[in-house]
Amino acid sequence: MSSTPQVAPFSPSPANQQTIGIAVVGTGFGQKVHIPGFQAHPRTQVVAVYHRNIEKAQAIAQAQNIPYACDAIADIVSLKEVQAVSIATPPFLHYEMAKEVLQAGKHLLLEKPVTLNVDEAKELYFLAKSKGVIATVDFEFRFVPGWQLFSELLSQDYVGNKRLIRIDWLGSSRADASRPWNWYSQKDKGGGALGSLGSHTFDYINWLFGPVRRLSAHLTTAIPQRPDSNTGELQPVNSDDTCMLMLELADGTPCQISISAVVHAPRTHWLEVYGDRGTLVLGSENQKDYIHGFRVWASQPGKQLTEIEIPNRLIFPKNYADGRISAFLRVVDQWVQGIDQGEEVVPSLREGVYSQLLMDLSHESNMKSNWVDVPSLEEILGI
């Protein structure tokens, strides 16, 4: 719990370490972050790209100097040049695509939320283990400098016995009611703020504070209709855009969470921990870049909050125009190390299963308007 991943930068590939051929599946986030990230990493090379429209796949491949373009996962995994696959498609496509990749014995990097339900996530986890491949999930907050400093201070028992945790993640990415209706607007496609933001939140709570004992969730939709991009007609939105969550951690600590994608807030992402010995605050006001801009403050009882400088050893060695690439590269570092050593890395699909479990139970709690108990991950996995 709350251990900080190692972030030593990779040096150029030694002669005995082969370049890993990567296929990128999904060309939204995949084209913005995955492709440039893999192209920047010294050990990975993008050798194939997937899009359901072969002409679009070919155009992207040509523009990015990628050898192969495919419109079928079967074609991707049949390429001998492909040792690993990253999947950055919408959530409703993850399970079938990831299953095909794992069955072919390819290493996997999967975007979150990993699947549409915990049973699918469990199946992928056990399939990866049975095939002996290394699967990771893009839970990038574990690799952001400010978050890593925050984790270290928690591990040093700075706050003492925790009495309250508060999390606010408030953004305006979907505040514009004219933003078109798409998969994000549909609950059964994995859309909604709980999937896009809550999946991260549940993972970093587990990383920083440990497992959850029970939870209560209230999910709402502020914008119930959005225009169809083709016809302009309003379509119903049944996914959440605001989530109010209360958790009781396994150690008894209460945790209050507010998540929204439809508000204009000056403080976009804030995490506060109050204990009997001290207070820790992690926060960012950077609306345009949810990776950079995090700062850490601390105080002892009766003292003012004081900012703590992030040490150079944790700072990103290079920044990119799209800030998400910096953190993604560290996820890739961890994944490549796991592939080299043949050992499961953290975060793995195991962490993806737990995040998905908490999302499933949040939907259940919201439907029942009641608290629900959270089984341990060991119970869920039967180990």
Side-chain angles (χ1 to χ4, degrees), residues 99-173:
K99 187 175 179 180
E100 196 165 356
V101 167
L102 294 172
Q103 285 174 334
K106 308 289 185 177
H107 304 294
L108 174 69
L109 189 154
L110 187 58
E111 275 300 328
K112 51 81 223 164
V114 292
T115 53
L116 295 180
N117 59 67
V118 72
D119 288 337
E120 291 179 346
K122 284 168 54 181
E123 185 179 344
L124 294 182
Y125 169 72
F126 286 117
L127 181 57
K129 289 186 75 69
S130 70
K131 292 292 185 178
V133 297
I134 307 304
T136 192
V137 181
D138 191 21
F139 287 134
E140 63 258 49
F141 286 99
R142 292 171 175 258
F143 301 92
V144 176
W147 290 76
Q148 295 187 319
L149 173 60
F150 193 80
S151 168
E152 290 182 358
L153 292 168
L154 285 172
S155 297
Q156 295 163 11
D157 203 29
Y158 184 93
V159 301
N161 295 317
K162 297 184 297 295
R163 293 178 175 174
L164 175 66
I165 299 166
R166 284 191 56 197
I167 297 169
D168 292 321
W169 194 349
L170 308 175
S172 60
S173 63

Side-chain angles (χ1 to χ4, degrees), residues 12 25 54 58 66 92 131-132 136 152-153 163 222 271 276 285 307 329-330 342 360:
V25 176
I54 189 61
Q58 290 169 341
I66 297 170
F92 68 94
K131 292 292 185 178
T136 192
E152 290 182 358
L153 292 168
R163 293 178 175 174
L271 171 54
D276 62 350
E285 297 169 347
E307 184 172 355
L329 274 166
R330 287 184 168 178
D360 286 7

Side-chain angles (χ1 to χ4, degrees), residues 5 21 102 107 113 128 135-136 142 151 199 248 266 284 286 302 321 341 355 378:
L102 294 172
H107 304 294
T136 192
R142 292 171 175 258
S151 168
S199 56
E248 180 185 317
S284 173
N286 192 336
Q341 298 165 8
S355 174
E378 289 71 23

